[in-house]
Amino acid sequence: MKTLFLLLIMTLSISSLAQTIVSGQVIDEKNTPVLGANVYLKGTYDGTTTDIDGKFSFETAETSTVTLVASFIGYEDYIQQSDVRELNGVEIRFRESVNSLNSVILNAGTLSAGDSSKASAIKPLDIVTTAGAVGDFVGALQTLPGTSANPDDGRLFVRGGSGEETQVFIDNSRVFRPFVPVTGNIPTRGRFSPFLFDGISFSTGGYSAEYGDALSSVLLLNTTDIPTEEKTDLQIMSVGGGVGNTQIWGKNSVSVNASYINLGPYNQLIPQNNQFEDPYESISGEAVYRHQLEKGMFKAYSAYSYSNFSILQEDINIEDGIFFGLKNGNYYGNLNYEQRLNNDWKMETGL
């Protein structure tokens, strides 16, 4: 019995010594602790969730190289392969996921009509790095599932609908002319630069009754609320370029952006199906002013765009073709004011 008791104690000691503690803290890009993140070792049942301070700690019987995984909705998964003995006091920094919002909305009814249920969130950098979009948010959105590529038009065709059935909103105010006008068989562009927007939410599925005039989809463009730093942006393309700047003083900030496009060099290098007399040329500028209130925000947005081109279009009845020229100037502006009155009421208005 003494021998058996001694062996039992030795077995328990060895078992307890084999347990390794995995611990650390999960924070986001702003050094804010992330509550409720899942942290576990891949291929095992060992893991836990983070507390209010973003900290976690659990035991594992693994003794060799393991894969530590941390995940949370709205962030990219964190994966680290390391020796389990080196995973004590790990700092995990999440990066915001910019590709899609995987939200689940439950409604008391038979119809799910949430804005985020089938929405794609796109950052400005995603737009300007999308091949073939040429810095145009409309061109980048045409690469998403649910849209129809129409090279002869260029507008957003979603789920079989026409371009007019997709409604565009800037800071919750509808934009009636979001596309630059062109003639037939020439793709159009969007009027607005992506750099002044914090994010672009594009719904290819259901959307709420707030956007009842939309028949196919809703495109929400929200300007940046509070810029975190003063910066200058430069955009260089083979057919043009752009520049932007943000200034901050106290509770006020201003962001401006200007761009220029000329397709003349492109038309000289690449044979065209259309005979351009004057190549497509456009210049645009935008500005956003923000004033942060104690419990709200005031924003003023304005944009101006000018485009010019002329073309000889083929016609079966006219041998020399039909001359068509177009010069267009467009100004858009909106004012947005929102104020939180208390925990249950919020006032928001726009013009």
Side-chain angles (χ1 to χ4, degrees):
M1 290 297 295
K2 291 182 179 180
T3 303
L4 181 61
F5 183 70
L6 181 60
L7 290 175
L8 180 61
I9 292 178
M10 292 178 62
T11 302
L12 292 176
S13 300
I14 294 174
S15 177
S16 62
L17 290 174
Q19 295 291 327
T20 303
I21 296 179
V22 178
S23 64
Q25 186 182 25
V26 179
I27 58 177
D28 60 13
E29 294 175 319
K30 300 180 180 179
N31 296 324
T32 303
V34 179
L35 170 65
N38 295 318
V39 184
Y40 60 93
L41 298 180
K42 187 176 181 180
T44 72
Y45 292 102
D46 302 329
T48 184
T49 58
T50 56
D51 58 17
I52 192 172
D53 296 322
K55 296 182 179 180
F56 65 91
S57 179
F58 61 90
E59 294 182 345
T60 180
E62 300 295 322
T63 58
S64 58
T65 301
V66 296
T67 301
L68 180 67
V69 180
S71 62
F72 192 73
I73 294 177
Y75 297 94
E76 295 180 0
D77 290 350
Y78 175 90
I79 301 176
Q80 177 182 346
Q81 192 173 22
S82 174
D83 190 288
V84 69
R85 292 168 295 183
E86 299 177 359
L87 297 178
N88 191 1
V90 180
E91 181 181 279
I92 298 176
R93 185 180 297 272
F94 273 150
R95 292 196 308 171
E96 184 180 359
S97 177
V98 296
N99 293 325
S100 63
L101 295 177
N102 299 321
S103 303
V104 177
I105 294 181
L106 301 179
N107 288 340
T110 58
L111 176 63
S112 174
D115 295 336
S116 301
S117 59
K118 295 183 180 179
S120 297
I122 302 178
K123 294 294 183 180
L125 188 60
D126 296 321
I127 295 176
V128 297
T129 55
T130 298
V134 199
D136 182 24
F137 69 90
V138 178
L141 293 174
Q142 289 177 341
T143 63
L144 296 177
T147 62
S148 302
N150 190 332
D152 296 332
D153 191 288
R155 294 179 296 172
L156 282 176
F157 289 76
V158 182
R159 297 184 293 133
S162 64
E164 289 79 8
E165 296 177 357
T166 298
Q167 300 301 328
V168 180
F169 293 82
I170 294 181
D171 291 334
N172 293 324
S173 296
R174 183 179 173 186
V175 183
F176 289 91
R177 297 291 182 266
F179 304 106
V180 176
V182 292
T183 184
N185 300 323
I186 296 179
T188 185
R189 291 176 56 88
R191 292 187 185 274
F192 309 107
S193 168
F195 287 103
L196 294 184
F197 300 103
D198 181 45
I200 297 176
S201 179
F202 180 51
S203 174
T204 57
Y207 42 85
S208 69
E210 179 182 0
Y211 315 107
D213 290 336
L215 299 179
S216 292
S217 64
V218 171
L219 175 60
L220 302 177
L221 306 172
N222 296 316
T223 56
T224 304
D225 285 338
I226 305 175
T228 57
E229 60 182 0
E230 295 183 347
K231 62 179 180 178
T232 298
D233 298 318
L234 295 177
Q235 180 183 4
I236 301 176
M237 299 181 295
S238 58
V239 293
V243 61
N245 183 262
T246 297
Q247 295 293 324
I248 305 173
W249 68 98
K251 296 184 178 181
N252 304 280
S253 63
V254 169
S255 298
V256 295
N257 187 82
S259 63
Y260 174 76
I261 293 177
N262 190 319
L263 296 186
Y266 176 80
N267 292 346
Q268 295 293 328
L269 294 175
I270 307 298
Q272 302 294 308
N273 295 328
N274 299 291
Q275 183 179 347
F276 281 90
E277 294 292 309
D278 294 311
Y280 178 84
E281 182 181 25
S282 72
I283 185 170
S284 62
E286 299 165 275
V288 182
Y289 167 76
R290 317 170 190 86
H291 177 70
Q292 185 179 0
L293 305 172
E294 183 178 356
K295 295 183 178 180
M297 173 73 66
F298 170 78
K299 290 193 290 187
Y301 174 84
S302 63
Y304 178 79
S305 63
Y306 170 82
S307 61
N308 173 39
F309 73 95
S310 61
I311 190 174
L312 280 176
Q313 290 189 308
E314 295 181 356
D315 188 274
I316 192 172
N317 298 315
I318 303 177
E319 182 179 357
D320 295 333
I322 298 177
F323 176 82
F324 180 86
L326 176 63
K327 294 183 179 181
N328 176 260
N330 178 272
Y331 173 78
Y332 172 82
N334 71 42
L335 304 176
N336 183 268
Y337 171 78
E338 61 179 42
Q339 180 76 32
R340 184 168 296 280
L341 305 179
N342 53 42
N343 293 332
D344 300 322
W345 290 89
K346 177 183 178 182
M347 179 177 65
E348 183 173 351
T349 182
L351 175 66

